[in-house]
Amino acid sequence: VVQESLNTRITTNSTTYTSTGLTASITPTSTSSKILVDVRVGSGASQRNLNRVYFKVTGGNITLVGSGSAGHSGHFTMCPRAADGTHNQIPGSMLLLDSPATTSEVTYTLEWCAETSSYYSVMNSSYADNAEAQNDVTTITLQEIAGA
């Protein structure tokens, strides 16, 4: 089992996926092994309420399904809905099962993007980043599951 974490507040207004800086690597012992990828996003927020924050994991043989109306294919989406968009913090998580079919090291990366470049998205804190904001931790945990 491998776990990496990111506990700093980061922001983006990119509408194309970019790395959050959180990566984890594992070396499968068999080509038939599967890798359970567990991502826990401490919190996602946005500068403006109703502004979506998109997340996905890249690496191995992970594929995306579906496509958002704005063309953002991802593994999950946060859409903070609060009267004041600067004070929302929403946690999120996802479990993915990968079949990398290799015994070489495989690296997984958490990527994200904003719905629009007009407003910033935030991870691990609220947009306001004031005294009331809790600083959160985002983790990625990898576990090898033996193949048959």
Side-chain angles (χ1 to χ4, degrees):
V1 176
V2 175
Q3 184 177 66
E4 298 294 340
S5 63
L6 178 69
N7 62 3
T8 55
R9 178 184 189 270
I10 61 172
T11 63
T12 187
N13 69 339
S14 173
T15 57
T16 58
Y17 279 100
T18 59
S19 174
T20 61
L22 182 58
T23 64
S25 299
I26 193 167
T27 303
T29 58
S30 169
T31 57
S32 62
S33 292
K34 298 193 182 308
I35 305 298
L36 185 65
V37 182
D38 182 356
V39 176
R40 309 291 171 127
V41 176
S43 66
S46 67
Q47 181 181 2
R48 174 179 170 248
N49 61 335
L50 306 181
N51 189 47
R52 291 172 182 84
V53 185
Y54 302 97
F55 291 89
K56 72 176 181 177
V57 172
T58 58
N61 287 325
I62 291 180
T63 57
L64 297 174
V65 294
S67 177
S69 60
H72 294 102
S73 289
H75 289 112
F76 78 93
T77 302
M78 292 179 177
C79 187
R81 293 180 182 268
D84 180 353
T86 64
H87 292 94
N88 48 32
Q89 288 181 249
I90 300 174
S93 63
M94 64 178 144
L95 280 173
L96 303 168
L97 188 61
D98 188 28
S99 301
T102 186
T103 55
S104 297
E105 183 178 73
V106 182
T107 300
Y108 298 91
T109 302
L110 179 63
E111 297 185 353
W112 71 326
C113 68
E115 180 176 9
T116 174
S117 61
S118 300
Y119 301 99
Y120 279 89
S121 294
V122 181
M123 192 172 88
N124 290 341
S125 185
S126 74
Y127 179 76
D129 196 30
N130 54 24
E132 292 81 23
Q134 175 178 324
N135 289 322
D136 298 307
V137 176
T138 295
T139 61
I140 183 168
T141 305
L142 308 175
Q143 181 177 355
E144 182 177 8
I145 300 171

